[in-house]
Amino acid sequence: MSEVELYTDGACRGNPGPGGWGVLLRAVGSGGQGRERELCGGAISTTNNRMELMAAIEGLEALTRGCSATLYTDSEYLRKGILEWLPKWKASGWRTAARKPVKNEDLWRRLEAAAARHQVEWRWVKGHSGHPENERADTLANRGLDELLASAGSSGLASSWPTSR
């Protein structure tokens, strides 16, 4: 089984506001050493947590065959959600411990389906601490956001959006 590392990040300017997600995929092991692929995208009105989820989803969905994957994220929401909270939410009919609907249920379901195709190890890294691949994922998330704003701006949609926090 092939091995892949995924470095993911999400960004948002305003929360909610326009957002971006980024993924660095790297093949590891014999035959695939050094092969990399970068992905990014964005959404006009979203939250930081949704962009963190989208980065993981898009990265896992980009893998065409089942594999052993190590996914690195600086989002405790993403890591704890998939490892700790998701089983509890499913058992309680997609309700939180406070009996409220789970936020981002649509993306949690999509993430669970994408992860099920692979053997995924979920690792947390401290964000903005100089970790080279996490910094690249952050750059990709901001590129996705900037490209979205440039595209929307040229169509007149983004004129009232903030471009910084």
Side-chain angles (χ1 to χ4, degrees):
M1 182 177 278
S2 61
E3 293 183 40
V4 177
E5 294 175 340
L6 298 92
Y7 298 88
T8 67
D9 202 14
C12 210
R13 295 190 187 141
N15 202 18
W21 56 266
V23 185
L24 169 64
L25 296 107
R26 178 181 292 153
V28 295
S30 62
Q33 191 69 31
R35 287 186 35 216
E36 293 184 348
R37 182 174 173 199
E38 296 180 340
L39 305 171
C40 65
I44 291 174
S45 181
T46 190
T47 66
N48 190 61
N49 284 340
R50 287 186 71 81
M51 292 295 92
E52 295 284 358
L53 286 162
M54 282 304 301
I57 291 165
E58 293 287 349
L60 291 169
E61 288 180 349
L63 302 174
T64 57
R65 292 187 298 266
C67 65
S68 175
T70 304
L71 191 144
Y72 295 86
T73 178
D74 62 8
S75 170
E76 286 283 10
Y77 174 75
L78 172 61
R79 188 175 171 281
K80 285 185 177 180
I82 195 73
L83 293 176
E84 298 174 26
W85 306 331
L86 184 67
K88 295 173 188 173
W89 291 334
K90 288 174 61 178
S92 65
W94 289 95
R95 298 278 177 188
T96 66
R99 304 299 305 150
K100 295 185 179 187
V102 171
K103 290 181 181 177
N104 305 313
E105 177 185 344
D106 59 329
L107 296 184
W108 285 114
R109 288 179 182 266
R110 189 171 161 195
L111 178 60
E112 181 183 36
R117 298 178 38 233
H118 311 287
Q119 292 178 328
V120 182
E121 180 180 345
W122 303 86
R123 292 196 185 165
W124 180 81
V125 296
K126 184 174 181 173
H128 308 288
S129 64
H131 187 285
E133 290 84 0
N134 181 257
E135 297 295 335
R136 282 180 65 187
D138 179 69
T139 297
L140 288 167
N142 280 287
R143 180 188 307 164
L145 174 50
D146 291 340
E147 289 174 359
L148 173 79
L149 291 175
S151 173
S154 66
S155 65
L157 295 174
S159 59
S160 63
W161 290 342
T163 55
S164 63
R165 286 188 182 214

